[in-house]
Amino acid sequence: MEELKEEQLEEELEKSSAQLSERIEALEKDYKQEEDKERKKELRSKKSQLTKQLKTIQTDYLPRLRKYKVQKQILGERNSYSKTDHEATFMRMKEDHMKNGQLKAGYNVQLATQHQFIVGFEIYQNPGDTRCFQPFMEKLLESMPKEKKLKYVIADAGYASEENYLYAIGEEKEPRFELLAPYQTYLKEQSKKFKKDLSKVQNWKYIEEDDCFICPNNRKVVFKYYQKRKNASGYIQDLKVYECEDCTDCPLKNGCTKAKGNRRVYWNTIYEEMKAKAKAALGDEQKAALYAKRKVDVESVFGNIKGNLRFTRFLLRGLHKVRTEFGIVAMAHNILKWAANSQTNFKNKETERMEKLIVFSIRSVFMDFLDKPWGGNRFPIHSKSISEIPYPSCITQNS
């Protein structure tokens, strides 16, 4: 709709410009034929006004509109871009010399690691991690042998969303993997402050037969209607809206809601079910131990790249060049890691698996130069490159 309006506006401006030009030409003819001085002065004044309007359209309105259209094409689905690198997006950096989280042009690096080796990476223009998860996992799964499947994928809370949980589950007959990722409020819900907060619906009693909640003042919060909501990524969520029967003269209202009327609850049944499953999984000792290894497996990789290798910024511009640059860094990290391990136990079978990981990493680095991304069938990956490694892939990000 916006593009249509812009096209219509441009057509109208061009049409107005043509009409003004015709009127100016007509006034010029009348001015030359007119002999009366007062009349000539009046015609000259009208011509001057129309000339100013025409100049404004041709030198201001139309160029600005065309410039705006070019900028929108560069933006695409983003909300910002850098003038020095049109493919870079402004992101809030964790580290900067001012220590205040400034917005700077950058790229979002997504990694998959095993045993502190990089087994897959991708560069994205989106500053958020949530929308990077599915396209990144699609490329990672495509690079793996079809007969081999991931059992677990471990990620931080930045990847936990309803659409990502459902993506991990996949189809009923073809589940993808189990996503071990705490949702945003997972740690808060464990605190005493959250459990004592009367305004939190999670602390209310739910009666399944009547499909209603019981608020802290023992009043029913009954179901009213369904509602659909679209988030920033375009995903449509199905919500159930509940409303308290009567909040009038409730002594707990000020601590329960800021609404003038009755308290309303927007309940996402599917997401709440996904959150319950994630909470149960993270409560399991074996899975909790796997999740605890994420910090060691992934964060140490970023620590080595940024701290030891001193790679804290890209030197090249453009998505393709940046990806190649980081691919070389990832390859250097894997080779150094392999060299350090091989010094202590060169003949160990573990070394063979590390060598295969390095081959996998080198092939994935140069995927842009192949007809099919991530190696495809041109560079077949040995079936043991992933299947023999007991730990799950871990995913994280760095803006």
Side-chain angles (χ1 to χ4, degrees), residues 31 145 151 167 186 206 209 229 260 272 292 310 350:
Y31 177 80
K151 188 174 182 181
Y167 171 80
Y186 175 75
Y206 176 71
E209 295 79 10
R229 180 184 296 172
K260 294 182 180 180
E272 293 298 328
R310 305 289 181 89
E350 190 72 17

Side-chain angles (χ1 to χ4, degrees), residues 2-19:
E2 290 183 3
E3 292 180 359
L4 184 61
K5 289 180 180 178
E6 290 170 12
E7 291 178 359
Q8 290 177 348
L9 180 59
E10 186 175 4
E11 288 178 1
E12 290 177 1
L13 287 173
E14 289 177 349
K15 186 178 179 180
S16 298
S17 177
Q19 290 175 351

Side-chain angles (χ1 to χ4, degrees), residues 13-14 17 20-21 50-67:
L13 287 173
E14 289 177 349
S17 177
L20 286 171
S21 298
L50 294 178
T51 303
K52 286 181 180 180
Q53 294 177 13
L54 179 62
K55 185 178 179 181
T56 302
I57 293 174
Q58 292 179 342
T59 62
D60 186 13
Y61 294 164
L62 281 173
R64 278 200 293 165
L65 182 61
R66 287 162 185 163
K67 183 181 178 181

Side-chain angles (χ1 to χ4, degrees), residues 1 22 51 54 70 72 81 99 112 153 165 177 187 223 226 237 253 256 283 290 313 322 326 330 338 376 390:
M1 289 295 291
E22 291 177 0
T51 303
L54 179 62
V70 172
K72 286 196 67 178
Y81 71 89
K99 302 297 182 182
V153 170
Y165 280 133
F177 47 79
L187 293 177
F223 169 73
Y226 290 97
Q237 298 173 317
K253 183 177 180 180
C256 182
L290 287 175
R313 60 177 297 172
V322 164
F326 188 81
W338 170 75

